[in-house]
Amino acid sequence: MDALDALINRTSCPRLEGPAPTPEQLDLMLRAALRAPDHGALRPWRFIITEGEGLVRMGELFARAALKADPELPQARHDKCLQMPLRAPMIITVVAVTREHPKVPLDEQLISAGCAAHAITQAAFAQGLGAMWRTGEMTHNSHVRSGLELAEHEQVVGFIYLGQRCREREAPMLDLAEFVTRWEG
Ligand SMILES: Cc1cc2nc3c(=O)[nH]c(=O)nc-3n(C[C@H](O)[C@H](O)[C@H](O)COP(=O)(O)O)c2cc1C
């Protein structure tokens, strides 16, 4: 796929089926992530790959986290948490690894990690795969953080759900004039 095609026409895909991306497809997505713009070449990111049985374990982690946060958790919510990671055959958890730096503020490092997450969705789309960037209450949950073995200076930027696209969606054609001005001094 042409690079501009991918950039302009990428859409998310909430319903994703197996098979999971191949090792070659995964490699390309991660290489795209590593080319995210990065002030100071700090590489403020890391990527956790989960598939197969790991997705079941992730659902259990989410369910335990929800139960810890609310001991009265309704059964339906508990079951939903168990199922959440099973919405795709692979999840890449994108983790921002930010550190105090004399020149590069933490915000900029977080933005770089976000760009890396977006590059994964772009590279998925360019390879005919589907992707969906999700966050939600599990993103900053302390039980989930320790289950994923995050250090103090790390945070989840997103869970990128990946798999085969079930349904094609057209990208909305927005009006540029709504978002663009020129500044001429
Ligand atoms: C940081 C971030 C977090 C997101 N979290 C969720 C989420 O938890 N659930 C969800 O349905 N969409 C979430 N989205 C939005 C979807 O990934 C997607 O962009 C949206 O459904 C619009 O689809 P499109 O990308 O095809 O325009 C998130 C997007 C970003 C950038």
Side-chain angles (χ1 to χ4, degrees), residues 73-145:
L73 189 75
Q75 187 65 39
R77 179 70 194 147
H78 181 267
D79 294 347
K80 190 166 179 213
C81 290
L82 281 177
Q83 294 300 319
M84 280 191 313
L86 304 178
R87 290 175 290 186
M90 178 183 281
I91 295 177
I92 301 180
T93 305
V94 179
V95 179
V97 184
T98 58
R99 289 189 181 83
E100 292 293 343
H101 185 276
K103 284 202 181 129
V104 187
L106 295 176
D107 282 359
E108 290 189 9
Q109 298 175 41
L110 188 59
I111 289 168
S112 279
C115 289
H118 186 45
I120 291 173
T121 70
Q122 294 284 5
F125 186 78
Q127 297 185 85
L129 295 165
M132 179 90 179
W133 182 339
R134 295 183 183 275
T135 47
E137 65 185 281
M138 296 302 156
T139 311
H140 301 291
N141 179 288
S142 59
H143 191 72
V144 171
R145 285 178 55 85

Side-chain angles (χ1 to χ4, degrees), residues 9-14 87 114 117-118 121 131-137 139 157-161 165 169-172:
N9 295 314
R10 181 207 60 82
T11 51
S12 299
C13 204
R87 290 175 290 186
H118 186 45
T121 70
M132 179 90 179
W133 182 339
R134 295 183 183 275
T135 47
E137 65 185 281
T139 311
V157 166
F159 300 103
I160 313 292
Y161 286 60
R165 306 176 74 84
R169 269 185 56 228
E170 294 264 306

Side-chain angles (χ1 to χ4, degrees), residues 9-53:
N9 295 314
R10 181 207 60 82
T11 51
S12 299
C13 204
R15 292 195 48 229
L16 295 156
E17 285 177 349
T22 63
E24 293 75 21
Q25 289 171 324
L26 175 61
D27 195 72
L28 288 172
M29 291 188 281
L30 294 169
R31 288 189 180 285
L34 295 182
R35 285 307 308 134
D38 170 18
H39 190 177
L42 300 179
R43 320 287 188 235
W45 48 55
R46 65 184 182 93
F47 309 96
I48 305 170
I49 317 295
T50 307
E51 53 186 325
E53 198 54 30

